[in-house]
Amino acid sequence: MTPAELAEAVLAAAHAVFADRGLDRSALPEQTTVERPRNPEHGDYASTLALQLSKKVGVPPRELAGDLAAKLGSTPGIKSVEIAGPGFLNIRLDAAAAGQLARTIVTAGEEYGRGDVLAGLKINLEFVSANPTGPVHIGGVRWAAVGDALSRLLRAAGADVGTEYYFNDAGSQIDRFARSLLAAAKGEPAPEDGYGGAYIAEIANEVTARRPEALSLDEDAAQEVFRVEGVELMFEEIKSSLRDFGVEFDTYFNEKDLHDRGELEHALNRLREQGHIFEADGATWLRTTDFGDDKDRVLRKSNGEWTYFAADCAYYLDKRERGFDRVVIMLGADHHGYIGRMKAMSACFGDDPAQNLEILIGQLVNLVRDGAPVRMSKRAGTVITLEDLVDAIGVDASRYALARYSSDSPIDIDIELWTRATRDNPVYYVQYVAARTASVGRNAAEVGLTRGDADTFRPELLDHDKENELLKALAEFPAVVAAAAELREPHRVARYLEDLAGAYHRFYDNCRILPRGDEEVTDLHRARLWLNDATRVVIANGLRLLGVSAPERM
């Protein structure tokens, strides 16, 4: 019996109690939940439904709980129901009902954990979106790991998700990049406001190889060649690095297209129709202060140039007109001030910012070696890049480490810890269970132990405390996935996997799966193999949501 099935049984019992008492059943919720008690001695699951309904129907909570307990106690699969405190229901499942979960999980395979809590919601998820003026730095890598994990979680929760990288190929930073490349090609020092690092010389050399005539052109024409070619080369490198990191985007959106297609003018006209545009000092403004912004925002300067914010407006409108219900944007730690203006902009378009726009802020990441932050990249010069992180600890450890913590908390990634093949390395600890469960399966096959048909599975044999503990941990996975998706917190999956790994290790240490020597294979061995394989499924499913592999050998 899964927690969802038990919750349905609790609600069905409530309907029966209300019918017996002649109570108004409109007071009953459409659905309810059960939770694991912190103290295992209090049962397998707990329900607070009696407490929630008591005031609504004028029945003392313990009295109502007593009626619910009587109905639930006759439900197949429920061993006992006890009333605790002011009206809590502590529920214990019988071993057969609890053990059936192993069969459910193995049968469901990759589908176990998926749900429909976000079904019908179309989400545009934009993340990374680093400027094509250098390699992806470690802050952007955090969003690559978290954003990709979040996209997987949202889809697992039933949402229709489009992932997007906003390719900023217009603006002053691109001009500085082009001037830096041209200077490097000429053997001159980088401009004072330009970009440094070995990668600039590398790209400059590639541009020169592609377009050897560029250096003979006049300054403006040469700079344009280095701008176009350099941006293309840099962005291809960025995409390649992300691809190697396991991150692919559904859409790469060019800012320049917004300008070329007249979408900034289109957005301006829409905002004007909404009545939020005004002219002052020769410039065109958006009155965002009407919706809580600290000041109004310029869209077009007095010299006719568009502002970055105008492009933000056009880009947001473009996403909404492509049919996305919710626009989710992941930004770095230095973008807190961005939230107010973007929320106000959404409202200026007539949207509900609480429903249509969501901005997530990620905090800083440090790479640490021997207790001290690693500051310099061999290639980028001033920042640590994606390649630096992967070279130091590998793709799996990088993705797990970055997704393991709440994105609004700064983190230090200790190179020594994340490369250690010991239990204190979280990704090793979890992946070791993936490998151990696979090893058990191989060893079982060698001694002739198979799970057998689902019809011959005897779940009632899984009555050891450590088996029960593992089954309860496995049962939590769908709820963890749903919560992680709804709260935009992939780290919940990582922490859950670590708890599950601990439960499996305790099961493995106390409950022998394989027969010893010439010992006959029994139904208990087969039942435990079902439980072993169910754990393998959940570990693999959870790691897949984080974009991390579930190795069969380590």
Side-chain angles (χ1 to χ4, degrees):
M1 180 179 289
T2 67
E5 291 168 341
L6 178 58
E8 289 177 6
V10 171
L11 193 56
H15 276 277
V17 168
F18 272 46
D20 290 348
R21 282 179 167 264
L23 299 173
D24 181 6
R25 279 190 275 183
S26 67
L28 289 167
E30 291 186 6
Q31 56 186 15
T32 188
T33 59
V34 293
E35 299 176 352
R36 282 181 63 182
R38 291 184 180 179
N39 186 344
E41 294 180 3
H42 294 165
D44 296 326
Y45 295 97
S47 170
T48 59
L49 188 59
L51 294 169
Q52 296 168 26
L53 296 174
S54 174
K55 287 185 179 180
K56 291 182 180 180
V57 296
V59 178
R62 281 189 65 89
E63 183 179 331
L64 190 58
D67 288 354
L68 284 171
K71 294 290 183 184
L72 271 176
S74 61
T75 302
I78 293 180
K79 182 178 180 180
S80 65
V81 184
E82 299 172 357
I83 304 167
F88 295 103
L89 293 176
N90 289 337
I91 305 166
R92 286 181 171 81
L93 303 181
D94 63 35
Q100 285 171 7
L101 181 66
R103 176 171 52 200
T104 298
I105 293 170
V106 173
T107 303
E110 291 186 11
E111 291 300 306
Y112 183 70
R114 302 182 70 87
D116 59 3
V117 68
L118 297 180
L121 187 62
K122 189 173 183 181
I123 298 175
N124 181 282
L125 178 63
E126 181 201 340
F127 57 101
V128 184
S129 295
N131 289 334
T133 55
V136 179
H137 62 75
I138 197 168
V141 182
R142 183 176 199 175
W143 276 141
V146 174
D148 188 62
L150 182 54
S151 72
R152 295 164 186 249
L153 277 165
L154 294 171
R155 287 174 177 135
D160 179 0
V161 181
T163 58
E164 195 144 318
Y165 188 117
Y166 185 52
F167 176 32
N168 186 338
D169 55 351
S172 59
Q173 80 282 354
I174 299 296
D175 293 335
R176 295 200 303 273
F177 178 61
R179 284 190 276 110
S180 301
L181 293 176
L182 181 56
K186 290 180 175 181
E188 298 173 354
E192 190 173 328
D193 61 349
Y195 296 91
Y199 78 94
I200 289 291
E202 292 170 9
I203 293 175
N205 290 337
E206 287 190 61
V207 174
T208 303
R210 278 187 177 192
R211 299 285 300 274
E213 82 285 359
L215 291 177
S216 63
L217 301 174
D218 65 63
E219 188 78 10
D220 290 343
Q223 184 174 317
E224 179 62 14
V225 170
F226 277 87
R227 186 191 72 79
V228 172
E229 298 286 348
V231 165
E232 180 181 335
L233 286 165
M234 190 71 254
F235 194 51
E236 283 304 316
E237 181 180 322
I238 289 171
K239 288 198 286 186
S240 177
S241 296
L242 290 169
R243 194 178 303 118
D244 291 343
F245 196 58
V247 179
E248 294 265 16
F249 290 86
D250 298 319
T251 301
Y252 292 93
F253 193 101
N254 283 25
E255 180 189 354
K256 192 171 180 291
D257 290 344
L258 293 171
H259 294 265
D260 294 345
R261 295 197 300 248
E263 293 199 35
L264 279 79
E265 196 73 50
H266 172 60
L268 178 61
N269 290 336
R270 282 287 301 273
L271 292 166
R272 184 171 275 119
E273 289 169 5
Q274 295 289 328
H276 302 299
I277 296 295
F278 68 97
E279 308 291 330
D281 303 323
T284 302
W285 297 68
L286 181 63
R287 190 174 280 109
T288 52
T289 52
D290 285 350
F291 298 98
D293 195 6
D294 59 345
K295 62 181 179 180
D296 295 323
R297 304 289 170 175
V298 177
L299 296 179
R300 187 152 52 190
K301 302 174 186 177
S302 57
N303 63 4
E305 291 182 1
W306 293 101
T307 63
Y308 287 125
F309 187 62
D312 292 335
C313 294
Y315 186 35
Y316 171 80
L317 181 61
D318 178 89
K319 290 176 178 178
R320 293 284 287 123
E321 290 184 339
R322 278 186 272 149
F324 290 103
D325 307 307
R326 183 167 299 175
V327 173
V328 181
I329 308 172
M330 298 177 140
L331 298 173
D334 56 344
H335 283 75
H336 273 284
Y338 201 67
I339 298 175
R341 76 188 73 169
M342 289 295 287
K343 291 283 188 179
M345 173 267 289
S346 170
C348 287
F349 276 118
D351 284 349
D352 178 356
Q355 296 298 320
N356 302 121
L357 177 63
E358 191 173 337
I359 297 177
L360 307 177
I361 300 293
Q363 293 300 319
L364 300 175
V365 182
N366 288 312
L367 187 62
V368 176
R369 178 185 283 115
D370 298 327
V374 179
R375 298 291 186 192
M376 303 289 284
S377 168
K378 293 178 181 178
R379 184 161 177 262
T382 56
V383 294
I384 299 300
T385 67
L386 187 159
E387 286 79 7
D388 296 324
L389 180 60
V390 170
D391 287 347
I393 65 174
V395 171
D396 276 352
S398 296
R399 290 192 60 133
Y400 193 97
L402 290 164
R404 184 177 184 260
Y405 302 92
S406 174
S407 57
D408 59 7
S409 300
I411 56 174
D412 291 334
I413 297 178
D414 188 324
I415 293 173
E416 183 183 7
L417 169 66
W418 288 96
T419 53
R420 198 179 294 156
T422 57
R423 292 171 65 119
D424 57 346
N425 175 351
V427 70
Y428 179 87
Y429 186 59
V430 173
Q431 286 185 316
Y432 186 76
V433 171
R436 172 169 269 184
T437 53
S439 175
V440 167
R442 291 191 300 271
N443 293 337
E446 289 178 3
V447 299
L449 170 61
T450 64
R451 293 195 306 263
D453 295 335
D455 293 342
T456 62
F457 171 50
R458 295 187 58 192
E460 72 276 8
L461 297 177
L462 299 174
D463 59 359
H464 192 283
D465 287 348
K466 300 308 176 185
E467 292 166 341
N468 184 258
E469 179 188 351
L470 179 55
L471 284 161
K472 285 192 285 186
L474 292 169
E476 287 184 21
F477 185 57
V480 169
V481 173
E486 288 189 285
L487 298 173
R488 317 294 189 248
E489 294 181 344
H491 69 273
R492 289 173 175 264
V493 174
R495 298 309 176 103
Y496 163 80
L497 290 175
E498 291 163 36
D499 289 343
L500 176 60
Y504 177 80
H505 285 307
R506 290 187 289 276
F507 156 72
Y508 184 88
D509 291 342
N510 288 274
C511 303
R512 184 162 183 83
I513 302 170
L514 304 177
R516 297 176 186 270
D518 295 331
E519 183 183 356
E520 182 182 351
V521 172
T522 67
D523 286 339
L524 177 59
H525 293 125
R526 296 186 186 95
R528 286 175 173 172
L529 186 58
W530 276 95
L531 185 51
N532 175 84
D533 293 354
T535 305
R536 167 79 190 175
V537 168
V538 176
I539 288 285
N541 289 357
L543 287 171
R544 188 180 301 109
L545 289 173
L546 300 178
V548 177
S549 69
E552 295 196 356
R553 288 179 169 84
M554 288 182 71

